[in-house]
Amino acid sequence: MINTGDKLICTNGNPFFVEGQVYTVGSIINQKFFEIEVEDGDHWYATKDSEGIYVRFNSLKGNMSDAWFTKVKLQAHA
């Protein structure tokens, strides 16, 4: 489950998302779609489904790969 404020690390980037960088989940649209906040205060719409977590870039006619993410797991302090 994705919640507002969750942290996602980019596992496969492109010119818009940097591999290894952590991004914050913004508003939740529904169970499948949500916003990922970027540095300039803007956001991109992301999807979480059986394929994983990603921002689809198919509108760019295949010239750019999708950006893929995984949820950052918080470490418990002892």
Side-chain angles (χ1 to χ4, degrees), residues 13-65:
N14 60 25
F16 296 101
F17 291 97
V18 178
E19 188 171 329
Q21 185 166 331
V22 175
Y23 296 88
T24 302
V25 174
S27 297
I28 305 299
I29 308 304
N30 57 37
Q31 290 183 341
K32 186 175 178 179
F33 299 104
F34 58 93
E35 297 174 349
I36 293 181
E37 298 173 354
V38 290
E39 288 182 7
D40 61 4
D42 206 358
H43 64 270
W44 288 83
Y45 291 105
T47 303
K48 181 180 186 292
D49 61 17
S50 61
E51 291 183 68
I53 302 169
Y54 55 91
V55 174
R56 185 78 68 199
F57 285 89
N58 58 357
S59 63
L60 298 175
K61 300 182 182 182
N63 294 334
M64 186 174 312
S65 64

Side-chain angles (χ1 to χ4, degrees), residues 6-12 18-24 36 53 67-73:
D6 283 351
K7 302 296 184 189
L8 304 175
I9 189 165
C10 182
T11 58
N12 186 17
V18 178
E19 188 171 329
Q21 185 166 331
V22 175
Y23 296 88
T24 302
I36 293 181
I53 302 169
W68 291 86
F69 303 86
T70 190
K71 191 171 175 181
V72 175
K73 297 188 189 318

